[in-house]
Amino acid sequence: MFSIGLVLSAGGPIGDPWHSGVLSRLEELTDWDARTSDLIVGTSAGSFTGTSLRAGLSSADSATRHEGGPLSVEGQALLDRITTPYAEAKQARDWRPWSPRMSARAMWPPWNADPVRLALGGLPRGNLSGAAIATRIDELHPDGWPDAPIWIVAVRNDDGRRVVFGRDDVRGSVGQASQASSAIPVVYTPVQIGKREYIDGAVHSSTNADLVAALGFDLVIVSSVMTVESDASSWITDPKRAWFAKKLADEVEQVRSRGAAVVVFEPDSDTAGGLSISDPDSRLRALHGGRAAVDRVLDGYRGDGIRSLIDRAR
């Protein structure tokens, strides 16, 4: 049977709108429903989209919600499960270094040092609580973890190691996993689950697509708002986006080396320049940018092949 893995990137406030744009447009053009994915891998904001899909919310309803339009009866019923208002309680700032151990581990071995973990470990801890994220997602999933597979990526705060909720032997509700996966360093407090603390999975990678490399999928679809289509100048204009793009390129190479086809929907340089996680207006731009990315890819020279693969899955 033809199988599809779906990878949903980090992206802060523009993450879910981007993914909603990509997936709703992809369904419009190919009739493929992202809810049928054999596995969903979500990092940070991608975990929000992933848990919504696994709850049964369609991509069309998700996109309509961002546009402020009326949802389907089924979609509204799902979202009505969420009764807790969203709020971010502020705590006193702890100015001590976030995780000196993470910084130390990031320097070894020296030929493979990780500058992101090195820098983050020396910064102060965040002071906003994302507890409402966990509560709201758990309300969306009243029966606990969904039966259909979803992997939610976080990073252990004490040593910087990647952890995959839903795959690894770690505890936590699906809401706690999403809260941990989206605990942006310096902004949010680390999320304690059991005896461990966890932070944003994007500290390791905004996509973490390599997790599906050995799973034997026929097709892997990656929706990535934090990267940019090949553009050497981005190392100067947007080094963070270029860093994530380099990570994604390495991950895609790993997946393809195992025989899977991979399609990536990401912003081009023009779209990326108009997206900012600190600008509320970027949410609608992200939604429309995600739609445009699908059009751009499917209209390109690989479009017919991608359509054919997705058609086999249906």
Side-chain angles (χ1 to χ4, degrees):
M1 188 170 101
F2 196 91
S3 58
I4 294 182
L6 176 62
V7 176
L8 303 169
S9 78
I14 62 174
D16 187 59
W18 171 271
H19 301 318
S20 299
V22 166
L23 299 177
S24 61
R25 184 60 173 161
L26 195 57
E27 185 169 4
E28 289 172 9
L29 296 179
T30 68
D31 289 331
W32 178 72
D33 187 337
R35 292 175 292 185
T36 66
S37 302
D38 294 280
L39 171 68
I40 297 175
V41 177
T43 300
S44 197
S47 73
F48 303 161
T49 309
T51 52
S52 295
L53 289 169
R54 285 308 193 218
L57 187 69
S58 71
S59 299
D61 272 333
S62 185
T64 299
R65 179 171 62 89
H66 288 298
E67 292 175 314
L71 275 63
S72 69
V73 173
E74 296 79 10
Q76 190 61 58
L78 284 169
L79 293 184
D80 284 345
R81 294 176 183 174
I82 303 173
T83 59
T84 299
Y86 187 76
E88 296 178 345
K90 182 178 288 189
Q91 303 177 5
R93 173 76 74 177
D94 184 346
W95 292 101
R96 291 175 298 175
W98 180 296
S99 178
R101 185 181 177 194
M102 182 192 297
S103 292
R105 290 185 65 95
M107 292 186 288
W108 190 263
W111 57 85
N112 195 31
D114 186 329
V116 174
R117 287 177 174 84
L118 175 62
L120 288 177
L123 295 174
R125 294 164 70 94
N127 67 334
L128 294 180
S129 171
I133 294 172
T135 302
R136 288 164 62 86
I137 290 178
D138 284 336
E139 289 172 345
L140 189 60
H141 289 270
D143 297 324
W145 275 86
D147 293 331
I150 179 169
W151 292 357
I152 297 175
V153 185
V155 165
R156 275 200 318 233
N157 187 49
D158 59 350
D159 59 8
R161 290 188 180 276
R162 179 170 65 179
V163 174
V164 184
F165 290 90
R167 183 199 71 172
D168 298 347
D169 185 19
V170 288
R171 298 182 179 180
S173 70
V174 65
Q176 287 177 313
S178 291
Q179 181 193 357
S181 182
S182 57
I184 301 171
V186 190
V187 178
Y188 291 98
T189 57
V191 177
Q192 183 162 346
I193 302 174
K195 296 182 179 180
R196 296 275 196 174
E197 287 186 331
Y198 301 90
I199 58 174
D200 197 325
V203 170
H204 181 86
S205 163
S206 71
T207 43
N208 291 286
D210 59 305
L211 290 172
V212 307
L215 300 182
F217 289 117
D218 297 292
L219 173 63
V220 174
I221 295 172
V222 181
S223 175
S224 175
V225 70
M226 296 294 288
T227 57
V228 63
E229 292 178 1
S230 182
D231 183 2
S233 66
S234 61
W235 282 104
I236 299 173
T237 59
D238 196 338
K240 181 171 73 171
R241 192 177 289 276
W243 168 262
F244 284 137
K246 173 62 168 62
K247 298 273 283 188
L248 176 57
D250 293 342
E251 293 164 4
V252 168
E253 184 177 350
Q254 290 183 54
V255 178
R256 285 178 174 153
S257 71
R258 298 297 189 97
V262 183
V263 56
V264 176
F265 299 106
E266 60 187 338
D268 59 12
S269 56
D270 290 338
T271 303
L275 298 178
S276 168
I277 63 173
S278 61
D279 180 4
D281 292 338
S282 285
R283 298 187 187 201
L284 271 181
R285 285 199 293 271
L287 176 70
H288 298 309
R291 290 178 175 272
V294 174
D295 290 339
R296 193 165 57 248
V297 171
L298 294 189
D299 288 344
Y301 73 96
R302 297 177 59 219
D304 288 344
I306 294 167
R307 290 172 188 269
S308 176
L309 288 171
I310 293 175
D311 188 58
R312 288 177 62 188
R314 291 192 296 107

